[in-house]
Amino acid sequence: MTTKIAEKTTPTTASQDQTAPPKRRRRILLVTAAVIAILGMAALLFGGVPGTPSAASDTEPTMTITQIIPLVILVVMFVVATKWPLNIGVMGLVASFGVGYFVLGMTDKQILEEFPASIVLTIIGVTYFFSMAQRNGSIDIIVQSCVRLVRGKTMILPWVFFLMAAALTALGTFSPAAVALLAPAALGLAYESRLHPVLMGAFVINGAHAGGFSPLSVAGVLVHDIANKNGFPIDQGALFLASFALNFILSALTIVLFALLGKLRDKHSNEYTALDAPRIGRPTGQQFFTLALIVAILVCTLGFHMPIGFVALSAGLLLAFVNIKEHQTFIGGVSWSTVLLVAGMITYVSLLQHVGVIDTLAEMALALGAPLLIALVLCYVIGVGSAFASSTALLTAFIPMAGPLLATSSLSASGTVAALAIAATVVDVSPFSTDGALVVANAREADRQRVYRQLMMYAGGVVLAAPALAWALLVPTGIM
Protein backbone atom coordinates (compact mmCIF):
# COMPACT_ATOMS: atom_id res chain seq x y z
CA MET A 1 0.00 0.00 0.00
CA THR A 2 1.62 3.25 -1.10
CA THR A 3 -0.30 6.34 -0.09
CA LYS A 4 1.00 9.78 -0.94
CA ILE A 5 1.65 11.91 2.09
CA ALA A 6 0.49 14.94 0.17
CA GLU A 7 -2.97 13.42 -0.14
CA LYS A 8 -3.18 13.26 3.65
CA THR A 9 -1.76 16.64 4.53
CA THR A 10 -2.61 19.01 1.68
CA PRO A 11 -5.82 20.94 2.37
CA THR A 12 -8.57 21.11 -0.21
CA THR A 13 -7.93 24.82 -0.61
CA ALA A 14 -4.46 24.27 -2.01
CA SER A 15 -3.26 26.51 -4.80
CA GLN A 16 -4.03 25.73 -8.42
CA ASP A 17 -0.37 24.95 -9.03
CA GLN A 18 -0.69 21.96 -6.75
CA THR A 19 -3.82 20.79 -8.57
CA ALA A 20 -2.36 21.14 -12.03
CA PRO A 21 -3.60 18.55 -14.51
CA PRO A 22 -1.57 15.34 -14.68
CA LYS A 23 -0.92 16.04 -18.38
CA ARG A 24 0.92 19.22 -17.47
CA ARG A 25 3.12 17.35 -15.02
CA ARG A 26 3.88 14.70 -17.60
CA ARG A 27 4.75 17.44 -20.09
CA ILE A 28 7.21 18.95 -17.59
CA LEU A 29 8.84 15.57 -17.10
CA LEU A 30 9.08 15.01 -20.85
CA VAL A 31 10.71 18.42 -21.34
CA THR A 32 13.19 17.61 -18.56
CA ALA A 33 13.99 14.27 -20.15
CA ALA A 34 14.45 15.96 -23.52
CA VAL A 35 16.87 18.52 -22.07
CA ILE A 36 18.88 15.73 -20.46
CA ALA A 37 18.93 13.82 -23.74
CA ILE A 38 20.17 16.92 -25.59
CA LEU A 39 22.92 17.39 -23.00
CA GLY A 40 23.88 13.76 -23.46
CA MET A 41 24.17 14.20 -27.22
CA ALA A 42 26.21 17.34 -26.70
CA ALA A 43 28.56 15.39 -24.44
CA LEU A 44 29.01 12.75 -27.11
CA LEU A 45 29.67 15.32 -29.83
CA PHE A 46 31.72 17.93 -27.97
CA GLY A 47 32.91 16.29 -24.76
CA GLY A 48 35.89 14.53 -26.30
CA VAL A 49 36.58 10.99 -25.29
CA PRO A 50 33.96 10.00 -22.68
CA GLY A 51 35.29 9.63 -19.16
CA THR A 52 38.60 11.44 -19.84
CA PRO A 53 39.63 14.86 -18.54
CA SER A 54 38.84 17.77 -20.77
CA ALA A 55 41.25 20.30 -22.08
CA ALA A 56 40.20 22.74 -19.40
CA SER A 57 42.63 24.83 -17.46
CA ASP A 58 45.18 22.88 -15.47
CA THR A 59 45.23 25.46 -12.69
CA GLU A 60 41.50 25.86 -12.03
CA PRO A 61 39.44 22.66 -11.64
CA THR A 62 36.27 22.74 -13.71
CA MET A 63 33.58 20.19 -14.36
CA THR A 64 33.36 18.66 -17.82
CA ILE A 65 30.09 18.07 -19.62
CA THR A 66 30.39 14.35 -18.88
CA GLN A 67 30.51 15.21 -15.17
CA ILE A 68 27.71 17.77 -15.24
CA ILE A 69 25.20 15.47 -17.00
CA PRO A 70 25.12 12.67 -14.38
CA LEU A 71 25.09 15.25 -11.58
CA VAL A 72 22.06 16.99 -13.10
CA ILE A 73 20.35 13.63 -13.57
CA LEU A 74 20.94 12.83 -9.89
CA VAL A 75 19.22 16.07 -8.86
CA VAL A 76 16.29 15.36 -11.22
CA MET A 77 15.95 11.84 -9.82
CA PHE A 78 15.85 13.19 -6.27
CA VAL A 79 13.17 15.77 -7.15
CA VAL A 80 11.04 13.19 -8.95
CA ALA A 81 11.31 10.66 -6.09
CA THR A 82 10.38 13.36 -3.58
CA LYS A 83 7.28 14.49 -5.49
CA TRP A 84 6.00 11.09 -6.69
CA PRO A 85 6.03 7.65 -4.99
CA LEU A 86 8.56 6.22 -7.46
CA ASN A 87 11.47 4.04 -6.36
CA ILE A 88 14.61 6.11 -6.86
CA GLY A 89 16.64 2.90 -6.97
CA VAL A 90 14.91 1.85 -10.18
CA MET A 91 15.62 5.29 -11.61
CA GLY A 92 19.23 4.93 -10.46
CA LEU A 93 19.68 1.60 -12.27
CA VAL A 94 18.10 2.95 -15.45
CA ALA A 95 20.20 6.13 -15.23
CA SER A 96 23.31 4.01 -14.63
CA PHE A 97 22.64 2.20 -17.89
CA GLY A 98 21.81 5.39 -19.81
CA VAL A 99 24.79 7.38 -18.58
CA GLY A 100 27.23 4.48 -18.52
CA TYR A 101 26.34 3.01 -21.89
CA PHE A 102 25.47 6.05 -24.01
CA VAL A 103 27.56 8.83 -22.41
CA LEU A 104 30.60 6.99 -21.00
CA GLY A 105 30.74 4.08 -23.44
CA MET A 106 30.87 1.46 -20.67
CA THR A 107 29.79 -2.17 -20.95
CA ASP A 108 27.16 -3.68 -18.68
CA LYS A 109 29.87 -5.46 -16.65
CA GLN A 110 31.73 -2.20 -16.11
CA ILE A 111 28.52 -0.43 -15.06
CA LEU A 112 27.79 -3.14 -12.48
CA GLU A 113 31.34 -3.40 -11.09
CA GLU A 114 30.35 -1.40 -8.00
CA PHE A 115 26.97 -3.10 -7.57
CA PRO A 116 26.66 -3.43 -3.75
CA ALA A 117 26.23 -7.21 -3.58
CA SER A 118 27.18 -7.50 0.10
CA ILE A 119 24.78 -4.74 1.14
CA VAL A 120 21.98 -6.26 -0.93
CA LEU A 121 22.61 -9.65 0.67
CA THR A 122 22.55 -8.06 4.13
CA ILE A 123 19.18 -6.42 3.51
CA ILE A 124 17.70 -9.58 1.96
CA GLY A 125 18.98 -11.86 4.74
CA VAL A 126 17.97 -9.58 7.62
CA THR A 127 14.50 -8.74 6.28
CA TYR A 128 13.89 -12.40 5.29
CA PHE A 129 14.61 -13.73 8.77
CA PHE A 130 13.07 -10.91 10.78
CA SER A 131 9.90 -10.85 8.67
CA MET A 132 9.45 -14.47 9.74
CA ALA A 133 10.20 -13.56 13.36
CA GLN A 134 7.68 -10.72 13.09
CA ARG A 135 4.95 -12.92 11.62
CA ASN A 136 5.25 -15.67 14.20
CA GLY A 137 5.14 -13.16 17.06
CA SER A 138 8.73 -13.54 18.30
CA ILE A 139 9.58 -9.85 17.83
CA ASP A 140 6.42 -8.96 19.75
CA ILE A 141 7.69 -11.01 22.69
CA ILE A 142 10.88 -8.90 22.77
CA VAL A 143 8.90 -5.68 22.30
CA GLN A 144 6.36 -6.38 25.01
CA SER A 145 9.08 -7.54 27.42
CA CYS A 146 10.97 -4.25 26.92
CA VAL A 147 7.77 -2.26 27.42
CA ARG A 148 7.18 -4.03 30.74
CA LEU A 149 10.78 -3.41 31.83
CA VAL A 150 10.59 0.36 31.32
CA ARG A 151 7.25 0.41 33.18
CA GLY A 152 5.66 3.08 31.06
CA LYS A 153 8.72 5.34 30.85
CA THR A 154 8.76 5.05 27.07
CA MET A 155 10.79 8.21 26.48
CA ILE A 156 13.92 6.47 27.77
CA LEU A 157 13.58 3.74 25.11
CA PRO A 158 15.33 5.73 22.34
CA TRP A 159 18.30 6.34 24.67
CA VAL A 160 18.43 2.66 25.60
CA PHE A 161 18.75 1.72 21.93
CA PHE A 162 21.25 4.53 21.39
CA LEU A 163 23.54 3.11 24.08
CA MET A 164 23.04 -0.49 22.90
CA ALA A 165 23.99 0.44 19.33
CA ALA A 166 26.99 2.47 20.56
CA ALA A 167 28.20 -0.46 22.65
CA LEU A 168 27.93 -2.86 19.71
CA THR A 169 29.90 -0.67 17.30
CA ALA A 170 32.46 0.37 19.92
CA LEU A 171 33.28 -3.33 20.40
CA GLY A 172 33.92 -3.77 16.68
CA THR A 173 30.53 -4.39 15.07
CA PHE A 174 30.17 -2.67 11.70
CA SER A 175 27.44 -0.02 11.98
CA PRO A 176 25.05 -1.55 9.38
CA ALA A 177 25.27 -4.86 11.23
CA ALA A 178 24.41 -3.16 14.54
CA VAL A 179 21.47 -1.35 12.95
CA ALA A 180 20.32 -4.58 11.29
CA LEU A 181 20.36 -6.36 14.65
CA LEU A 182 18.54 -3.64 16.61
CA ALA A 183 16.16 -2.06 14.09
CA PRO A 184 13.49 -4.82 14.13
CA ALA A 185 13.01 -4.64 17.90
CA ALA A 186 13.42 -0.84 17.98
CA LEU A 187 10.78 -0.21 15.32
CA GLY A 188 8.47 -2.75 16.91
CA LEU A 189 8.82 -0.95 20.23
CA ALA A 190 8.14 2.38 18.55
CA TYR A 191 4.79 1.16 17.27
CA GLU A 192 3.97 -0.59 20.54
CA SER A 193 4.76 2.45 22.71
CA ARG A 194 3.34 5.06 20.26
CA LEU A 195 6.75 6.65 19.64
CA HIS A 196 7.49 8.00 16.18
CA PRO A 197 9.28 5.25 14.18
CA VAL A 198 11.58 7.79 12.49
CA LEU A 199 12.66 9.06 15.92
CA MET A 200 13.47 5.55 17.10
CA GLY A 201 15.27 4.69 13.86
CA ALA A 202 17.35 7.87 14.08
CA PHE A 203 18.44 7.01 17.63
CA VAL A 204 19.54 3.51 16.60
CA ILE A 205 21.60 4.92 13.70
CA ASN A 206 23.06 7.76 15.78
CA GLY A 207 24.01 5.29 18.49
CA ALA A 208 25.73 3.04 15.94
CA HIS A 209 27.78 6.01 14.74
CA ALA A 210 28.47 7.20 18.30
CA GLY A 211 30.60 4.13 18.91
CA GLY A 212 31.62 3.71 15.30
CA PHE A 213 35.08 5.32 15.61
CA SER A 214 36.38 3.54 18.68
CA PRO A 215 39.95 2.16 18.48
CA LEU A 216 38.39 -1.33 18.12
CA SER A 217 35.94 -0.46 15.34
CA VAL A 218 36.41 -0.99 11.61
CA ALA A 219 35.87 2.68 10.79
CA GLY A 220 38.12 3.89 13.62
CA VAL A 221 41.01 1.71 12.48
CA LEU A 222 40.41 2.68 8.84
CA VAL A 223 40.51 6.43 9.49
CA HIS A 224 43.56 6.12 11.74
CA ASP A 225 45.48 4.08 9.14
CA ILE A 226 44.59 6.42 6.25
CA ALA A 227 45.68 9.47 8.27
CA ASN A 228 48.99 7.81 9.22
CA LYS A 229 49.72 6.79 5.62
CA ASN A 230 49.19 10.38 4.50
CA GLY A 231 51.48 11.85 7.12
CA PHE A 232 49.07 13.43 9.62
CA PRO A 233 48.54 11.03 12.57
CA ILE A 234 45.46 11.55 14.70
CA ASP A 235 44.44 10.71 18.27
CA GLN A 236 42.14 7.64 18.13
CA GLY A 237 40.72 8.28 21.60
CA ALA A 238 39.85 11.87 20.71
CA LEU A 239 38.22 10.73 17.46
CA PHE A 240 36.03 8.27 19.38
CA LEU A 241 35.01 10.83 22.02
CA ALA A 242 34.25 13.46 19.37
CA SER A 243 32.05 11.04 17.42
CA PHE A 244 30.18 9.96 20.56
CA ALA A 245 29.65 13.57 21.71
CA LEU A 246 28.45 14.81 18.31
CA ASN A 247 25.99 11.96 17.88
CA PHE A 248 24.75 12.42 21.45
CA ILE A 249 24.16 16.14 20.79
CA LEU A 250 22.46 15.36 17.48
CA SER A 251 20.15 12.86 19.21
CA ALA A 252 19.25 15.38 21.90
CA LEU A 253 18.49 17.98 19.20
CA THR A 254 16.34 15.37 17.45
CA ILE A 255 14.25 14.96 20.61
CA VAL A 256 13.83 18.74 20.78
CA LEU A 257 12.90 18.94 17.08
CA PHE A 258 10.28 16.20 17.33
CA ALA A 259 8.87 17.80 20.50
CA LEU A 260 8.57 21.20 18.80
CA LEU A 261 6.82 19.57 15.84
CA GLY A 262 4.51 17.65 18.15
CA LYS A 263 5.68 14.30 16.78
CA LEU A 264 7.21 12.61 19.82
CA ARG A 265 4.00 10.62 20.11
CA ASP A 266 2.95 9.22 16.77
CA LYS A 267 -0.81 9.32 16.34
CA HIS A 268 -0.54 7.05 13.29
CA SER A 269 0.97 4.19 15.30
CA ASN A 270 -2.50 3.05 16.33
CA GLU A 271 -3.14 2.17 12.69
CA TYR A 272 -0.13 -0.13 12.40
CA THR A 273 0.53 -1.60 15.87
CA ALA A 274 -1.27 -4.91 15.46
CA LEU A 275 -1.28 -5.35 11.69
CA ASP A 276 1.42 -7.99 11.45
CA ALA A 277 0.85 -10.17 14.51
CA PRO A 278 -1.89 -10.75 17.06
CA ARG A 279 -1.38 -10.27 20.77
CA ILE A 280 0.51 -13.19 22.19
CA GLY A 281 0.48 -14.95 25.52
CA ARG A 282 2.78 -17.80 26.47
CA PRO A 283 5.57 -18.32 23.86
CA THR A 284 5.09 -21.27 21.52
CA GLY A 285 7.73 -23.80 20.51
CA GLN A 286 8.30 -21.99 17.20
CA GLN A 287 8.78 -18.71 19.02
CA PHE A 288 11.31 -20.26 21.42
CA PHE A 289 13.18 -21.61 18.38
CA THR A 290 13.11 -18.18 16.72
CA LEU A 291 14.44 -16.46 19.84
CA ALA A 292 17.24 -19.06 20.02
CA LEU A 293 18.10 -18.28 16.39
CA ILE A 294 18.26 -14.56 17.20
CA VAL A 295 20.76 -15.34 19.96
CA ALA A 296 22.72 -17.49 17.50
CA ILE A 297 22.80 -14.60 15.00
CA LEU A 298 24.18 -12.31 17.72
CA VAL A 299 26.87 -14.82 18.69
CA CYS A 300 27.93 -15.51 15.09
CA THR A 301 28.07 -11.87 14.01
CA LEU A 302 29.46 -10.30 17.19
CA GLY A 303 31.57 -13.16 18.53
CA PHE A 304 32.89 -14.68 15.31
CA HIS A 305 32.50 -11.67 12.95
CA MET A 306 30.54 -13.68 10.37
CA PRO A 307 28.69 -11.72 7.64
CA ILE A 308 25.22 -11.02 8.94
CA GLY A 309 23.59 -11.46 5.52
CA PHE A 310 24.63 -15.10 5.19
CA VAL A 311 23.99 -15.81 8.87
CA ALA A 312 20.47 -14.34 8.73
CA LEU A 313 19.67 -16.28 5.54
CA SER A 314 20.88 -19.50 7.18
CA ALA A 315 18.76 -18.83 10.27
CA GLY A 316 15.80 -18.01 8.05
CA LEU A 317 16.18 -21.27 6.15
CA LEU A 318 16.19 -23.25 9.40
CA LEU A 319 13.09 -21.41 10.54
CA ALA A 320 11.43 -22.02 7.16
CA PHE A 321 11.73 -25.79 7.68
CA VAL A 322 9.58 -25.40 10.79
CA ASN A 323 6.81 -23.74 8.78
CA ILE A 324 7.23 -24.83 5.15
CA LYS A 325 3.62 -24.09 4.21
CA GLU A 326 4.13 -20.34 4.66
CA HIS A 327 7.55 -20.14 3.01
CA GLN A 328 6.25 -18.13 0.05
CA THR A 329 4.80 -15.63 2.49
CA PHE A 330 8.20 -15.31 4.16
CA ILE A 331 9.88 -14.64 0.80
CA GLY A 332 7.34 -11.88 0.26
CA GLY A 333 8.49 -10.35 3.55
CA VAL A 334 11.85 -9.40 2.03
CA SER A 335 11.94 -5.64 1.47
CA TRP A 336 12.57 -5.77 -2.27
CA SER A 337 11.79 -2.05 -2.65
CA THR A 338 14.62 -1.29 -0.22
CA VAL A 339 16.95 -3.63 -2.09
CA LEU A 340 16.20 -1.76 -5.33
CA LEU A 341 16.65 1.63 -3.64
CA VAL A 342 20.09 0.87 -2.20
CA ALA A 343 21.37 -1.09 -5.19
CA GLY A 344 20.27 1.54 -7.70
CA MET A 345 21.60 4.55 -5.82
CA ILE A 346 24.99 3.07 -4.94
CA THR A 347 25.46 1.81 -8.51
CA TYR A 348 24.65 5.23 -9.92
CA VAL A 349 26.81 7.20 -7.48
CA SER A 350 29.71 4.87 -8.26
CA LEU A 351 29.44 6.22 -11.82
CA LEU A 352 29.78 9.74 -10.43
CA GLN A 353 32.97 8.66 -8.69
CA HIS A 354 34.17 6.92 -11.87
CA VAL A 355 33.71 10.10 -13.91
CA GLY A 356 35.46 12.14 -11.22
CA VAL A 357 32.54 14.26 -10.00
CA ILE A 358 33.44 13.80 -6.32
CA ASP A 359 37.14 14.47 -6.93
CA THR A 360 36.40 17.61 -8.95
CA LEU A 361 34.11 18.99 -6.25
CA ALA A 362 36.87 18.43 -3.68
CA GLU A 363 39.45 20.15 -5.92
CA MET A 364 37.10 23.10 -6.33
CA ALA A 365 36.88 23.32 -2.56
CA LEU A 366 40.68 23.33 -2.19
CA ALA A 367 40.87 26.16 -4.74
CA LEU A 368 38.93 28.47 -2.40
CA GLY A 369 42.05 29.33 -0.41
CA ALA A 370 40.79 30.02 3.14
CA PRO A 371 41.60 26.93 5.29
CA LEU A 372 38.54 27.17 7.56
CA LEU A 373 36.22 27.66 4.59
CA ILE A 374 37.84 24.77 2.72
CA ALA A 375 37.33 22.50 5.74
CA LEU A 376 33.65 23.51 5.91
CA VAL A 377 33.13 22.90 2.19
CA LEU A 378 34.84 19.50 2.42
CA CYS A 379 32.56 18.57 5.33
CA TYR A 380 29.51 19.41 3.22
CA VAL A 381 30.77 17.66 0.09
CA ILE A 382 31.56 14.45 1.97
CA GLY A 383 28.29 14.74 3.92
CA VAL A 384 26.07 15.21 0.88
CA GLY A 385 27.92 12.50 -1.02
CA SER A 386 27.69 10.05 1.87
CA ALA A 387 23.93 10.51 2.08
CA PHE A 388 23.74 8.70 -1.27
CA ALA A 389 26.89 6.57 -1.33
CA SER A 390 29.16 4.44 0.83
CA SER A 391 30.55 6.37 3.81
CA THR A 392 33.58 4.09 3.92
CA ALA A 393 34.40 4.72 0.26
CA LEU A 394 34.10 8.49 0.66
CA LEU A 395 36.26 8.48 3.81
CA THR A 396 38.91 6.59 1.88
CA ALA A 397 38.76 9.17 -0.91
CA PHE A 398 38.41 12.40 1.08
CA ILE A 399 40.74 12.03 4.06
CA PRO A 400 43.85 12.03 1.82
CA MET A 401 42.52 15.25 0.23
CA ALA A 402 42.81 16.93 3.62
CA GLY A 403 46.61 16.48 3.45
CA PRO A 404 47.38 19.59 1.36
CA LEU A 405 45.00 21.64 3.53
CA LEU A 406 46.64 20.51 6.77
CA ALA A 407 50.15 20.96 5.34
CA THR A 408 49.51 24.60 4.41
CA SER A 409 47.55 25.70 7.50
CA SER A 410 47.57 25.57 11.28
CA LEU A 411 44.39 23.49 11.50
CA SER A 412 44.39 20.54 13.89
CA ALA A 413 44.76 17.25 12.03
CA SER A 414 42.69 15.34 14.60
CA GLY A 415 39.92 17.95 14.63
CA THR A 416 39.73 18.27 10.84
CA VAL A 417 39.77 14.51 10.20
CA ALA A 418 37.23 13.95 12.97
CA ALA A 419 34.90 16.57 11.45
CA LEU A 420 35.18 14.90 8.02
CA ALA A 421 34.61 11.43 9.49
CA ILE A 422 31.58 12.53 11.50
CA ALA A 423 30.10 14.50 8.58
CA ALA A 424 30.42 11.37 6.42
CA THR A 425 28.60 9.09 8.87
CA VAL A 426 25.89 11.08 10.65
CA VAL A 427 24.06 11.55 7.33
CA ASP A 428 23.55 7.78 7.07
CA VAL A 429 20.04 8.32 8.41
CA SER A 430 19.26 8.93 4.74
CA PRO A 431 16.99 6.18 3.33
CA PHE A 432 19.47 5.99 0.43
CA SER A 433 22.16 4.68 2.78
CA THR A 434 22.35 1.16 4.24
CA ASP A 435 21.45 2.23 7.78
CA GLY A 436 18.52 4.37 6.74
CA ALA A 437 17.32 1.71 4.31
CA LEU A 438 17.30 -0.87 7.13
CA VAL A 439 15.06 1.41 9.19
CA VAL A 440 12.64 1.76 6.27
CA ALA A 441 12.76 -2.00 5.66
CA ASN A 442 11.77 -2.72 9.27
CA ALA A 443 8.80 -0.34 9.31
CA ARG A 444 5.36 -1.94 9.09
CA GLU A 445 4.57 -2.73 5.48
CA ALA A 446 1.52 -0.46 5.43
CA ASP A 447 3.55 2.36 7.00
CA ARG A 448 6.76 1.97 4.95
CA GLN A 449 6.02 4.73 2.43
CA ARG A 450 5.26 7.24 5.19
CA VAL A 451 8.43 6.33 7.11
CA TYR A 452 10.49 6.59 3.90
CA ARG A 453 9.22 10.09 3.13
CA GLN A 454 9.56 11.42 6.68
CA LEU A 455 12.99 9.85 7.14
CA MET A 456 14.07 11.51 3.90
CA MET A 457 12.88 14.90 5.19
CA TYR A 458 14.66 14.34 8.50
CA ALA A 459 17.82 13.26 6.67
CA GLY A 460 17.65 16.45 4.62
CA GLY A 461 17.76 18.47 7.83
CA VAL A 462 20.70 16.41 9.09
CA VAL A 463 22.59 16.92 5.82
CA LEU A 464 22.09 20.68 6.15
CA ALA A 465 22.97 20.97 9.85
CA ALA A 466 25.30 18.13 10.89
CA PRO A 467 28.38 18.95 8.75
CA ALA A 468 28.27 22.57 9.97
CA LEU A 469 27.85 21.39 13.57
CA ALA A 470 30.81 18.99 13.31
CA TRP A 471 32.95 21.71 11.69
CA ALA A 472 31.97 24.41 14.21
CA LEU A 473 32.72 22.25 17.26
CA LEU A 474 35.92 20.60 16.06
CA VAL A 475 37.77 22.72 13.48
CA PRO A 476 37.82 26.44 14.50
CA THR A 477 37.92 25.65 18.23
CA GLY A 478 41.12 23.55 18.01
CA ILE A 479 39.65 21.41 20.79
CA MET A 480 41.42 18.29 19.51
Side-chain angles (χ1 to χ4, degrees):
M1 175 179 170
T2 55
T3 305
K4 291 184 180 179
I5 297 299
E7 293 175 355
K8 293 183 179 180
T9 58
T10 305
T12 55
T13 58
S15 65
Q16 293 184 0
D17 289 340
Q18 293 174 313
T19 58
K23 289 184 178 179
R24 182 180 175 185
R25 292 178 180 174
R26 285 196 293 269
R27 192 178 301 118
I28 293 172
L29 282 178
L30 289 173
V31 170
T32 303
V35 170
I36 293 171
I38 292 170
L39 287 174
M41 292 299 295
L44 289 173
L45 293 174
F46 307 111
V49 180
T52 59
S54 67
S57 170
D58 292 332
T59 56
E60 290 190 16
T62 58
M63 298 192 77
T64 66
I65 191 68
T66 53
Q67 293 174 336
I68 294 173
I69 291 172
L71 193 59
V72 170
I73 292 175
L74 177 66
V75 174
V76 172
M77 284 163 43
F78 183 78
V79 171
V80 171
T82 303
K83 191 167 183 62
W84 291 279
L86 299 175
N87 191 306
I88 196 171
V90 175
M91 289 189 281
L93 288 173
V94 173
S96 297
F97 167 73
V99 173
Y101 191 83
F102 293 105
V103 178
L104 304 178
M106 301 170 69
T107 64
D108 56 339
K109 291 183 178 180
Q110 291 173 323
I111 293 171
L112 294 174
E113 277 181 356
E114 299 299 325
F115 184 85
S118 62
I119 296 175
V120 167
L121 182 65
T122 296
I123 294 174
I124 291 175
V126 168
T127 57
Y128 173 62
F129 174 79
F130 281 104
S131 71
M132 299 165 71
Q134 183 72 51
R135 289 179 183 276
N136 67 23
S138 300
I139 297 298
D140 285 335
I141 292 175
I142 300 173
V143 167
Q144 292 173 20
S145 298
C146 292
V147 169
R148 285 195 295 269
L149 286 174
V150 300
R151 297 181 180 181
K153 298 177 182 178
T154 55
M155 288 312 302
I156 70 172
L157 284 173
W159 292 108
V160 169
F161 278 94
F162 176 93
L163 293 175
M164 289 172 62
L168 287 175
T169 52
L171 293 173
T173 307
F174 202 46
S175 63
V179 174
L181 289 169
L182 295 177
L187 270 290
L189 270 171
Y191 288 110
E192 183 76 18
S193 56
R194 307 297 192 269
L195 290 173
H196 201 292
V198 172
L199 173 71
M200 188 69 88
F203 264 72
V204 172
I205 295 172
N206 291 345
H209 295 148
F213 288 102
S214 80
L216 300 177
S217 68
V218 176
V221 173
L222 175 69
V223 170
H224 178 262
D225 289 350
I226 294 173
N228 276 341
K229 286 180 181 179
N230 287 273
F232 46 95
I234 62 172
D235 186 334
Q236 281 186 292
L239 174 63
F240 170 53
L241 291 176
S243 177
F244 191 96
L246 261 293
N247 280 281
F248 186 91
I249 292 170
L250 184 62
S251 298
L253 291 175
T254 299
I255 287 278
V256 174
L257 173 65
F258 274 73
L260 291 175
L261 295 176
K263 292 186 178 294
L264 280 178
R265 299 292 180 180
D266 185 20
K267 63 181 180 180
H268 295 287
S269 290
N270 290 321
E271 305 170 20
Y272 308 111
T273 297
L275 286 179
D276 291 335
R279 294 288 177 181
I280 51 139
R282 187 185 182 91
T284 64
Q286 186 177 148
Q287 289 168 345
F288 274 122
F289 183 52
T290 304
L291 294 173
L293 287 174
I294 292 176
V295 173
I297 291 174
L298 290 170
V299 171
C300 290
T301 54
L302 301 182
F304 297 96
H305 302 287
M306 295 182 181
I308 190 172
F310 282 112
V311 173
L313 277 176
S314 303
L317 182 60
L318 290 174
L319 191 55
F321 277 112
V322 178
N323 198 349
I324 294 179
K325 291 182 179 180
E326 295 188 29
H327 184 255
Q328 291 300 322
T329 304
F330 299 151
I331 292 292
V334 176
S335 182
W336 297 111
S337 62
T338 306
V339 169
L340 280 171
L341 186 149
V342 173
M345 285 307 300
I346 292 181
T347 301
Y348 185 73
V349 172
S350 71
L351 284 182
L352 296 185
Q353 294 173 323
H354 175 79
V355 178
V357 172
I358 304 297
D359 291 342
T360 302
L361 290 175
E363 290 170 4
M364 288 179 174
L366 290 173
L368 292 174
L372 283 175
L373 181 59
I374 294 172
L376 177 61
V377 171
L378 286 178
C379 284
Y380 268 103
V381 173
I382 195 173
V384 173
S386 185
F388 298 93
S390 167
S391 302
T392 305
L394 288 174
L395 283 172
T396 305
F398 269 75
I399 291 178
M401 292 180 188
L405 171 64
L406 296 171
T408 57
S409 70
S410 59
L411 297 180
S412 164
S414 293
T416 303
V417 171
L420 289 173
I422 294 168
T425 53
V426 293
V427 298
D428 281 350
V429 292
S430 162
F432 305 133
S433 70
T434 308
D435 293 342
L438 285 167
V439 169
V440 175
N442 282 284
R444 304 288 191 189
E445 183 177 355
D447 193 31
R448 201 164 287 159
Q449 184 68 21
R450 179 178 75 105
V451 170
Y452 165 75
R453 286 179 177 271
Q454 294 188 359
L455 186 63
M456 186 161 62
M457 290 188 287
Y458 171 77
V462 172
V463 170
L464 288 175
L469 179 63
W471 173 85
L473 293 180
L474 298 175
V475 181
T477 60
I479 197 171
M480 293 178 63

